[in-house]
């Protein structure tokens, strides 16, 4: 799912071709993202920049001729330097853009330079990533003469060759994408680029390459020296495609700025977007584009952000996937306020968490409205009781970078003493990747550590999860000071005895070395609810009925499970005449899509769900940790149905529940209605005691965090 969809799109027509473009956002200034003229990619290569910059600028991006939704012309007359320059002008004209900031990547850097030199009245600034130019020699491993040679068995850069493109294009794509992203742990970026390159054919690349060579270089040194607008050249120090000398020469000729990223390859804007976005933003601000830095969103309580104050100030990030995290976060925040009565807390999160926080009289940071929806993305990835949580997180990359940039601005503008991040994976990743971006102390909380491959998904997923785990381990061990406090919400025995992957450490051993443990944190412990009979009476439960509560989390993925449970209800009631079933749908399931049998009550949001879980006789739940642990703490028997392919529910949660002797795990594929009904009857007749769940986790977590204030 995209982090941001275009406000509108269209096609610019010129010279008998159509070029597809998309327009995002509004602003006094426009950024035109110019794709490489070589049709190897699409406008989506700028997906890590557009969602952020479109909050402050009007952004336009277009597909190159030969790829994406632009025409697939193979006519040589449509390619070449002048055509590429005129294509960009056509996009500007078609979108009624008088002046623009240009952003170019690789060979489109030359297009940006040519536009700035030939049409200075229309160009406000130029930013390029790994630009090509005739001012520097190519890498020695890429001799130009090799392009036309015939190799019997080409290897390495010999594959950068017209004959290989024509006959073995897929092999070239795989090779070249690995040369674009030479950095370790670039699997997602490589996959994306292979996907975009696969939308075109080698013949289109050959024609584009031939016409560029036939027309000579776009620019001479004299042409570069004509550029009078501000320029910024960004280049990866380890670029295997274009040498750093190319950007260095352009920066010198244009009297512009040069930013070299150590360790980066050819597409730093894709591999290191947080750093590139920040460097771009700061460059534009320095040159008055816009004239004033964007101000925080309108909110009366933010008018005094930079005024002197005596109280401490915290930005609290709470995961938006369901309400389980925010309940524990509120419990921790209450304990922190006992320790620091004047503490100010701003919450950065998304719906439905923000609605819940508002009801609790908490202050929600106005930037929360700018966050891209993580819950919607998760739903878009889900199938029938199926969610590959690992792949869903990988596919959320552009949402994570967009939301990180919102967070980064909030921290930079908010003068916070501390950030508390409850599984804010984007913040943890990008601050570890670029420690210089860290602007506050941070306390990091999580209830699981480590991706685990699902066995049925084979060696490919095992390799990927190992790679992701290795990157996380390297981040923390190479930059141990980024997290000022790491807190595992649980105990050492709750960490699974499982390897992070081949040649990597054991999870429990590693977590024990790098985290403090606070025990499990509940929003409110069932011990505080009082007598169970009194609680049942207060909730409207009769003494002569057996209450079964069904809840499947805050997402729409639980619909299939609810339908099976509804079908099981009459079968179970035949054996348990007193059975009363209450189904809690949550905010994203429409009651009209279900056909409940007589005797089943369908409810939407239940604010005191934890009390109902403590009062009922049996619960049927999906397999999320919060609900399961609330049931374990209450001693309520329950069946849980982990989502297929959901590594956290099937491994981390299942292991933790086993530690408490709580719950009956039900594989969805083996849980037809008659099976569910029978296990319901068994669970009600054979209930066993659970291991007690600690009731001081929030206090212990707050004490660990308090040391930072």
């Amino acid at each position: 799912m995209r982090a941001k969809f275009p406000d509108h799109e269209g096609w610019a027509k010129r010279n008998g071709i159509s070029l597809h473009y998309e327009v995002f956002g509004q602003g006094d200034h426009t950024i035109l993202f110019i794709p490489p003229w070589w049709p190897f990619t699409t406008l989506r290569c700028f997906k890590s920049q557009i969602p952020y910059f479109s909050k402050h600028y009007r952004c336009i991006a277009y597909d190159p001729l030969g790829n994406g939704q632009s025409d697939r012309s193979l006519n040589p007359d449509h390619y070449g330097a002048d055509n590429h320059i005129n294509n960009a002008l056509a996009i500007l004209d078609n979108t009624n853009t008088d002046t623009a900031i240009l952003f170019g990547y690789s060979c489109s850097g030359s297009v940006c330079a040519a536009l700035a030199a030939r049409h200075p009245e229309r160009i406000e600034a130029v930013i390029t990533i790994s630009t090509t130019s005739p001012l520097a020699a190519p890498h020695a491993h890429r001799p130009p003469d090799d392009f036309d040679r015939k190799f019997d068995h080409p290897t390495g850069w010999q594959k950068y060759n017209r004959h290989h493109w024509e006959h073995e294009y897929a092999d070239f794509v795989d090779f070249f994408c690995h040369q674009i992203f030479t950095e370790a742990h670039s699997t997602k970026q490589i996959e994306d680029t292979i996907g975009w390159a696969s939308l075109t054919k080698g013949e289109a690349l050959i024609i584009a390459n031939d016409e560029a060579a036939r027309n000579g270089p776009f620019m001479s040194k004299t042409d570069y020296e004509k550029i009078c607008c501000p320029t910024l050249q960004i280049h990866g120090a380890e670029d295997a495609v274009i040498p750093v000398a190319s950007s260095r020469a352009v920066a010198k000729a244009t009297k512009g700025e040069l930013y070299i990223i150590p360790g980066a390859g050819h597409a730093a804007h894709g591999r290191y977007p947080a750093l590139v976005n920040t460097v771009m933003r700061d460059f534009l601000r320095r040159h008055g584009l816009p004239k004033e830095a964007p101000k925080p969103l309108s909110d009366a309580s933010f008018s005094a952000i930079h005024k002197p104050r005596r109280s401490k100030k915290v930005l609290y990030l709470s995961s938006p996937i369901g309400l389980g995290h925010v309940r524990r976060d509120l419990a921790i925040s209450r304990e922190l306020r006992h320790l620091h009565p004047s503490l100010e807390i701003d919450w950065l999160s998304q719906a439905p968490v923000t609605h819940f926080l508002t009801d609790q009289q908490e202050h929600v940071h106005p930037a929360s409205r700018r966050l891209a929806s993580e819950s919607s993305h998760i739903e878009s990835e889900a199938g029938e009781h199926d969610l590959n949580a690992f792949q869903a997180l990988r596919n959320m990359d552009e949402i994570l970078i967009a939301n990180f940039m919102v967070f980064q601005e909030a921290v930079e503008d908010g003068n916070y003493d501390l950030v508390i991040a409850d599984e804010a994976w984007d913040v943890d990743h990008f601050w570890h990747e670029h420690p210089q971006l860290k602007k506050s102390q941070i306390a990091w909380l999580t209830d699981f550590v480590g991706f685990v491959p699902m066995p049925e998904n084979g060696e490919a997923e095992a390799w990927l999860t190992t790679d992701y785990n290795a990157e996380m381990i390297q981040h923390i061990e190479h930059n141990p000071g980024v997290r000022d406090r790491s807190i595992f919400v649980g105990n050492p025995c709750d960490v699974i005895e499982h390897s992070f992957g081949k040649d990597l450490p054991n999870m429990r051993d590693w977590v024990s070395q790098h985290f403090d443990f606070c025990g499990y944190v509940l929003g409110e412990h069932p011990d505080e609810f009082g007598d169970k009979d009194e609680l049942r009476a207060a909730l409207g439960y009769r003494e002569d009925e057996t209450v079964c509560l069904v809840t499947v989390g805050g997402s729409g993925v639980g619909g299939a499970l609810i339908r099976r449970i509804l079908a099981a209800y009459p079968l179970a009631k035949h054996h348990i005449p007193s059975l009363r079933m209450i189904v809690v749908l949550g905010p994203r399931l429409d009651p009209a899509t279900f056909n409940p049998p007589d005797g089943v009550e369908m409810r939407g949001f239940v604010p005191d769900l934890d009390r109902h879980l403590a009062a009922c006789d049996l619960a049927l739940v999906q397999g999320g940790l919060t609900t399961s642990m609330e049931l374990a703490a209450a001693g309520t028997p329950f069946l849980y149905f982990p989502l297929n392919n959901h590594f956290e529910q099937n491994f981390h949660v299942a292991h933790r529940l086993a530690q408490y002797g709580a719950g009956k795990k039900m594989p969805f594929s083996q849980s037809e209605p008659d099976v569910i009904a029978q296990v319901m009857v068994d669970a009600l007749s054979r209930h066993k005691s659970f291991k007690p769940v600690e009731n001081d986790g929030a206090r212990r977590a707050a004490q660990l965090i308090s040391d930072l204030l």
Side-chain angles (χ1 to χ4, degrees), residues 315-516:
L315 182 65
Y316 208 130
L317 313 182
S318 188
S319 172
I321 310 300
L323 296 177
H325 286 265
V326 72
R327 291 182 187 275
R328 79 181 182 201
D329 293 334
L330 280 169
I332 294 170
S333 72
R334 286 193 292 268
E335 295 291 343
L336 275 174
R337 286 174 170 135
H338 286 317
L339 298 171
H340 302 274
S342 62
L343 184 67
E344 299 177 27
I345 300 179
D346 296 329
W347 296 83
L348 187 67
S349 191
Q350 304 170 35
V353 170
T354 49
H355 304 315
F356 185 80
L357 288 167
T358 300
D359 290 342
Q360 297 293 316
Q361 307 301 310
E362 294 288 336
H363 183 264
V364 176
H365 194 296
S368 296
R369 299 196 295 270
R370 289 178 168 171
L371 295 170
S373 176
E374 296 178 18
S375 297
S376 296
H377 168 79
I378 294 298
E379 288 195 32
S380 73
E381 294 275 325
E384 182 178 272
H385 203 76
D386 185 279
L387 175 66
N388 190 314
F390 169 65
Q391 292 292 352
L393 184 61
R394 291 185 80 229
N395 293 336
M396 197 161 63
D397 54 340
E398 66 178 286
I399 291 176
L400 293 177
I401 179 58
N403 290 346
F404 170 78
M405 295 304 299
V406 173
F407 157 80
Q408 186 72 9
E409 287 194 344
V411 172
E412 291 173 350
D413 294 336
N415 192 25
Y416 291 101
D417 298 287
L418 175 66
V419 170
I420 303 175
D422 187 348
E423 293 189 6
W425 301 106
D426 50 344
V427 174
D428 191 61
H429 175 84
F430 290 117
W431 272 12
H432 273 98
E433 197 161 63
H434 310 293
Q436 67 269 38
L437 297 182
K438 182 183 175 185
K439 303 299 180 183
S440 168
Q441 295 185 100
I442 184 169
W444 167 257
L445 293 89
T446 186
D447 53 41
F448 80 94
V449 179
F451 296 115
V452 182
M454 299 303 296
E456 57 269 29
N457 293 338
E459 293 182 3
E461 185 166 287
W463 187 89
L464 284 173
T465 55
T466 298
D467 185 67
Y468 271 67
N469 288 336
E471 182 178 36
M472 179 272 295
I473 290 170
Q474 291 169 13
H475 274 171
I476 293 169
E477 294 187 348
H478 292 174
N479 295 292
V482 171
R483 293 179 184 173
D484 297 281
R485 180 76 74 195
S486 296
I487 301 173
F488 186 87
V489 182
N491 300 296
C493 63
D494 295 323
V495 184
I496 62 176
E497 285 275 16
H498 196 288
S499 171
F500 280 110
K502 184 180 179 181
D503 300 324
L504 296 178
N506 174 276
M507 290 182 180
R508 185 179 296 179
D509 294 341
W510 189 87
V511 172
S512 297
Q513 295 170 13
H514 292 85
F515 282 79
D516 295 306

Side-chain angles (χ1 to χ4, degrees), residues 40-41 44-48 105 129-130 157 173-196 238-241 263-273 397:
F40 194 77
T41 188
R44 294 283 289 143
C45 72
F46 302 119
K47 67 177 186 175
S48 295
Y105 161 45
I129 301 287
S130 295
W157 279 98
V173 167
D174 182 76
F175 162 76
F176 191 63
C177 289
H178 282 81
Q179 303 310 306
I180 293 174
F181 297 102
T182 52
E183 307 92 336
H185 314 299
S186 298
T187 59
K188 185 59 169 63
Q189 292 81 8
I190 291 171
E191 285 180 19
D192 284 344
T193 309
I194 288 175
W196 300 325
E238 305 301 324
D239 189 335
V241 181
H266 185 60
H269 65 299
R271 184 59 182 82
Y272 295 121
D397 54 340

Side-chain angles (χ1 to χ4, degrees), residues 629-701:
M629 287 300 291
E630 287 174 345
L631 290 163
T636 303
F638 65 97
L639 316 181
Y640 68 101
F641 302 76
L643 291 172
N644 298 334
N645 288 303
H646 197 303
F647 75 91
E648 183 186 1
Q649 292 185 3
N650 282 281
F651 288 95
H652 293 285
V653 175
H655 168 79
R656 188 183 296 239
L657 294 177
Q659 301 301 301
Y660 289 89
K664 168 69 174 176
K665 185 177 181 181
M666 301 284 290
F668 183 75
S669 62
Q670 302 171 25
S671 300
E672 295 300 327
D674 59 331
V675 174
I676 295 174
Q678 184 59 55
V679 179
M680 288 172 63
V681 174
D682 293 344
L684 285 166
S685 61
R686 302 177 185 176
H687 176 50
K688 61 179 182 178
S689 298
F690 304 157
K691 176 183 174 182
V693 177
E694 54 268 68
N695 59 10
D696 62 347
R699 178 182 58 81
R700 290 163 61 187

Side-chain angles (χ1 to χ4, degrees), residues 48-49 52-53 127 232 234 259 272-286 401 404-405 408-409 412 430-431 434 436-439:
S48 295
Q49 283 68 53
Y52 168 62
F53 283 99
I127 303 171
L232 169 64
I234 303 173
Y259 193 95
Y272 295 121
L275 180 60
V276 169
N277 290 355
T278 304
V279 170
M280 288 174 58
R281 179 200 67 183
D282 294 347
F283 165 78
L284 292 172
R285 288 181 179 179
R286 284 196 300 274
I401 179 58
F404 170 78
M405 295 304 299
Q408 186 72 9
E409 287 194 344
E412 291 173 350
F430 290 117
W431 272 12
H434 310 293
Q436 67 269 38
L437 297 182
K438 182 183 175 185
K439 303 299 180 183

